[in-house]
Amino acid sequence: MRRAITMAGAALTLAGTGTVAATAGAEKGDPATIEPHLVPMQEISIPIIDGDRLEGSLRVKTVLAADDEAAAERVTAALPRLRSASLAAALEFSRLYASPLRAVDAEMLSKNLTEALQHEEPGVTRALVVEVAAHSA
C-alpha cells in the first residue's frame, strides 16, 4: 500500500513539473512544443512464416511524423511508394522477429520502419506504430 502511494505521489510531482516546463517552453518557442505533422498510413497485414509453414499474420497501423507541413505534403504524395517500403520492412521484421506466441517488439518494428521510410522520403522523422498485433493462423 505504501509503495502505491509513493509511486502516485511521484507521478503527481512529475506531472506538475511537466506542465510548468511545457508552458515555459511554449512562451519561448521551444521546438518540443511545436505541433507535429502526422500522416496516417493504411493498415498493413503481413504473413508470419516459419520455415515452410504459415503460422499467422502481423497487422500494423502506422502514422508517419513529418518535419514540417511541406514535408507532410511530400509524404502524403509519396504514400504508395512509402507503403511499399513499409511492406518490405515489415515482412523482413515478421520473418526474423514475429511470432503469434509472443508479444511484438513495437519499438524495434518502429525503428525498422523508420529507417526504411527515411531512405525513401527524408521528410519522415519517425514511423509511429499506433497498433500492432500478431494473430495465429
Side-chain angles (χ1 to χ4, degrees):
M1 179 71 174
R2 181 173 292 223
R3 183 176 178 190
I5 292 171
T6 304
M7 291 175 74
L12 288 174
T13 303
L14 290 174
T17 305
T19 305
V20 172
T23 306
E27 292 171 1
K28 296 178 184 177
D30 185 13
T33 61
I34 296 173
E35 184 179 321
H37 299 280
L38 304 175
V39 180
M41 286 186 67
Q42 251 184 344
E43 179 182 87
I44 56 176
S45 181
I46 301 99
I48 299 174
I49 300 173
D50 184 20
D52 62 346
R53 291 184 325 228
L54 175 67
E55 289 201 354
S57 65
L58 178 68
R59 293 179 177 265
V60 182
K61 287 185 184 176
T62 310
V63 174
L64 305 179
D67 292 331
D68 53 19
E69 193 170 336
E73 289 175 10
R74 287 194 318 271
V75 168
T76 303
L79 274 176
R81 192 169 33 105
L82 295 176
R83 181 171 168 78
S84 176
S86 293
L87 281 168
L91 188 59
E92 183 69 11
F93 177 87
S94 170
R95 185 178 69 82
L96 296 173
Y97 306 109
S99 168
L101 303 176
R102 66 175 189 256
V104 178
D105 187 348
E107 186 176 347
M108 181 187 290
L109 177 59
S110 175
K111 182 182 174 212
N112 291 354
L113 289 172
T114 299
E115 288 174 2
L117 294 172
Q118 285 177 339
H119 181 71
E120 291 293 320
E121 174 56 57
V124 174
T125 3
R126 187 163 179 209
L128 305 167
V129 176
V130 294
E131 189 177 326
V132 63
H135 301 282
S136 59

